Amino acid sequence: MNAPFRICFVCTGNICRSPMAESVLRARLAEDGLDGLVEVDSAGTGGWHEGDGADPRTVAVLRAGGYETAHTARQFHASWFDHLDLVIALDSGHLRELRGLAPTAQDAAKIRLLRSYAADMADTGPTPEPRASGHGLAGDLDVPDPYYGDFAGFEECLDMVETASDGLLAAVRATVTARTVATAHAPGHDTDRHQARNPHPPREKEST
């Protein structure tokens, strides 16, 4: 059996943007029947809000959208790269910080910007790299921090997260499906052994 595909969303304090992204993707995965195959959580680059719930404005927009709101903030640690498959940054500043934390080039390759999965900005492929687009440079792939603004900023943030989550879901679905197929055809897998075994071996000819 495959290990779960593990995703972590990362913003600054883990009380606004990344909890939104975590909650939205969890809902998308459940709707798609992938919630048993993918684990999702979130964290912040800093630990100022560790142990706190999500910002009340985050809770309000999530509740209005029908999403789960339970959350406890925590800080991202470099050691987590080892067990994560995908680390999703909410803006280019988080992207730089996470790449600085990555212990290896392989770990750095796991990091993506969330809005690089938005349909109008993403490259093709299951894990598109953040890139310049017709909309401008990589900074235009940021989900702006709504913390110091008004409630409308939180609503806009959720809209961006929802749009990008559709593309992210498609990418995750493709990756998880490919993993499942690869495992099913791997040498030594139970399915292969059952297929290779002759269910009715030829009976030995009786001696006369």
Side-chain angles (χ1 to χ4, degrees):
M1 182 178 179
N2 286 333
F5 188 84
R6 296 183 173 94
I7 301 170
C8 185
F9 292 99
V10 181
C11 68
T12 304
N14 193 214
I15 60 169
C16 297
R17 291 170 286 178
S18 56
M20 279 191 204
E22 176 184 354
S23 187
V24 170
L25 186 61
R26 282 184 188 277
R28 295 285 194 275
L29 290 167
E31 291 167 2
D32 211 52
L34 293 174
D35 47 327
L37 300 174
V38 183
E39 293 181 358
V40 185
D41 58 21
S42 64
T45 56
W48 313 282
H49 298 288
E50 277 193 296
D52 294 345
D55 186 287
R57 295 164 293 180
T58 297
V59 172
V61 295
L62 286 175
R63 184 174 292 133
Y67 298 108
E68 292 183 4
T69 60
H71 177 70
T72 302
R74 58 187 189 150
Q75 183 176 7
F76 187 89
H77 296 281
S79 60
W80 296 3
F81 276 105
D82 187 54
H83 71 272
L84 291 169
D85 296 288
L86 199 54
V87 181
I88 306 291
L90 273 290
D91 68 29
S92 53
H94 307 135
L95 183 76
R96 288 191 296 272
E97 287 192 59
L98 288 166
R99 285 179 169 169
L101 285 175
T104 68
Q106 183 178 2
D107 291 323
K110 299 175 181 179
I111 307 166
R112 297 287 185 269
L113 276 167
L114 176 59
R115 290 191 70 208
S116 69
Y117 290 95
D120 60 341
M121 295 186 177
D123 285 328
T124 57
T127 51
E129 287 282 0
R131 66 179 180 93
S133 72
H135 297 266
L137 299 175
D140 289 336
L141 295 178
D142 290 355
V143 176
D145 188 354
Y147 184 77
Y148 294 104
D150 58 18
F151 189 74
F154 283 78
E155 294 175 315
E156 181 183 2
C157 180
L158 181 60
D159 286 343
M160 289 183 177
V161 167
E162 288 179 323
T163 298
S165 292
D166 292 335
L168 176 57
L169 175 65
V172 171
R173 184 193 305 118
T175 300
V176 170
T177 300
R179 271 188 172 190
T180 302
V181 171
T183 300
H185 290 85
H189 188 267
D190 286 344
T191 302
D192 289 333
R193 288 202 299 270
H194 290 313
Q195 290 175 343
R197 185 184 301 130
N198 186 342
H200 301 292
R203 181 180 300 170
E204 293 183 6
K205 184 178 180 181
E206 296 180 1
S207 57
T208 56

